[in-house]
Each structure stands twice: as structure tokens, then as C-alpha cells.
Amino acid sequence: MNAKKYETIPSDEIILNTAEALRKHGITVEIAKNAQEAKSMVLDILPKGAAVMDMTSVTLDTLGISKLIQESGDYISCRKKSYTLDQVKQAKEIHTLRDIPDWTIGSVHAVTEEGSVMVASQSGSQLAAYAFGSDNVIWIIGAQKIVKNLDEGFKRLYEHSLVLESERARKAYGVPASAINKIFILHEEIKKGRITIILVKEKLGF
């Protein structure tokens, strides 16, 4: 794995051009100079008292956003609430909380300079909310995830993200490895303003 290839922050010109390409595809884009500024932007966007589903994300954990959503009391944590329900008898309610919340926050694995977004998943648990279910989606994305095109994006997913996620999964869950079973690719968001991307000029997540 050529980690340096996938962990390098691109030039300001590439970041700006990528942001403009995403905007042309119906996505709101903000650019943060660092992680702290990105976190402040998120808190400015999220309305207090909102029902928020925080997806499993190294980026969110690094910024402390997952903990804040679940423990601050400023928001209704869909994840936390889902844990209080019976996983079998109340499965539909759990799906509703996680798949069609008012707000969803997470990250992605690759963003192309052409304005497409790629998310790899083992279970697909985050994809319904990202693709359509959630009224509002915020993705915080380290700029090292910018790639030239979809071909480079697929290479990043399999050669970099999967390797690091497998390492994380072994430590967190004691499993042999993770897997890419489902891939979501967003080319255009029809509902303008539904998705906001915060591109961060720092390495965040993988």
C-alpha cells in the first residue's frame, strides 16, 4: 500500500476546483483550513434539538463530533436512541431512526476532481440515509481523499481505505478483516442543499 499517495493534501487549486465541481452537481461545499474550523462549521450548521444520526466514522471520532452528538444533550441522538430499542421487535423503528433521520453526519472514502463522491461499506448501514433517506446530510472530508477520477477512487477504496478499516475492525471487533460489499457513488444530488460537504485541508480519516 502506497500510503503517501493516498494521504497527501492536494494543492489549493485542486481543492478549489473540486469544490466547484461538487457545487455544479448540486452539493453545498465549504472549505475548512483545519479540523477545528471544520468542527465549528458543523456546529454552526446543526440546529440545536435536531434528531441526528452520526455514522461510524474515524473522522467524526477524531473531531469529537460523535461524542458531542450522543452525550451533550444538545441534540437527539438517533444512534443512542436506537440502542434502547429491541433489536428484533422494534427493528422497523430502528431503521426509521437510522435511515430517515432529520440529519445525518459522516464522511466518505473518495471524492473525484470531477465532482463525484464514493462511499464503501461492508453492511450498507449508512447508505440509505446518504442516498435518499435523510433530509440533511453533512460529510466532513479530509482533502487527502480527493482523487482524479472514479478509476483512482476505486483504487483508493481497495488499496488504502479497506486496508486501514480492516486494521481498525480487528482491533475494535476482533474480526479477521473488513470487506467492501457495497459501494455508493453520488454523481449528482437532485435536491439542492440536501448535502453539505466540508472539505478540510488536513488529513482526516481514511
Side-chain angles (χ1 to χ4, degrees), residues 15-154:
I15 293 173
L16 289 171
N17 289 342
T18 301
E20 186 57 31
L22 290 164
R23 292 184 185 114
K24 288 178 179 177
H25 292 182
I27 299 169
T28 301
V29 183
E30 304 291 343
I31 298 175
K33 62 178 181 291
N34 55 42
Q36 187 57 47
E37 184 173 70
K39 184 176 182 179
S40 296
M41 287 179 175
V42 171
L43 299 183
D44 286 341
I45 295 169
L46 276 179
K48 293 290 179 65
V52 185
M53 178 62 201
D54 60 295
M55 296 302 180
T56 301
S57 166
V58 171
T59 296
L60 295 191
D61 290 344
T62 299
L63 297 181
I65 290 176
S66 293
K67 184 176 182 180
L68 187 148
I69 289 169
Q70 294 175 37
E71 299 180 8
S72 69
D74 291 334
Y75 310 97
I76 300 168
S77 170
C78 295
R79 176 182 292 278
K80 190 174 180 180
K81 189 173 181 180
S82 73
Y83 290 155
T84 68
L85 303 180
D86 186 288
Q87 301 297 302
V88 176
K89 294 180 180 179
Q90 295 175 289
K92 290 293 185 184
E93 290 91 333
I94 292 171
H95 282 307
T96 298
L97 283 167
R98 290 171 170 259
D99 297 344
I100 53 173
D102 294 340
W103 290 82
T104 296
I105 186 165
S107 190
V108 309
H109 297 101
V111 179
T112 75
E113 293 179 38
E114 299 163 342
S116 295
V117 180
M118 305 177 73
V119 183
S121 179
Q122 181 172 29
S123 67
S125 60
Q126 75 273 55
L127 302 187
Y130 284 171
F132 184 78
S134 187
D135 291 335
N136 304 277
V137 176
I138 302 174
W139 285 324
I140 305 133
I141 307 170
Q144 87 279 5
K145 296 180 181 180
I146 294 175
V147 295
K148 187 71 176 174
N149 50 40
L150 289 177
D151 286 343
E152 288 298 316
F154 280 113

Side-chain angles (χ1 to χ4, degrees), residues 120-191:
S121 179
Q122 181 172 29
S123 67
S125 60
Q126 75 273 55
L127 302 187
Y130 284 171
F132 184 78
S134 187
D135 291 335
N136 304 277
V137 176
I138 302 174
W139 285 324
I140 305 133
I141 307 170
Q144 87 279 5
K145 296 180 181 180
I146 294 175
V147 295
K148 187 71 176 174
N149 50 40
L150 289 177
D151 286 343
E152 288 298 316
F154 280 113
K155 290 178 182 178
R156 187 178 202 284
L157 263 57
Y158 283 96
E159 296 176 6
H160 183 72
S161 301
L162 177 59
V163 175
L164 295 181
E165 174 58 19
S166 290
E167 291 177 3
R168 187 196 73 83
R170 279 193 290 271
K171 294 176 182 176
Y173 312 124
V175 297
S178 187
I180 295 178
N181 294 329
K182 301 176 184 180
I183 297 174
F184 169 55
I185 301 176
L186 175 69
H187 294 300
E188 179 119 9
E189 175 52 50
I190 296 173
K191 186 179 178 182

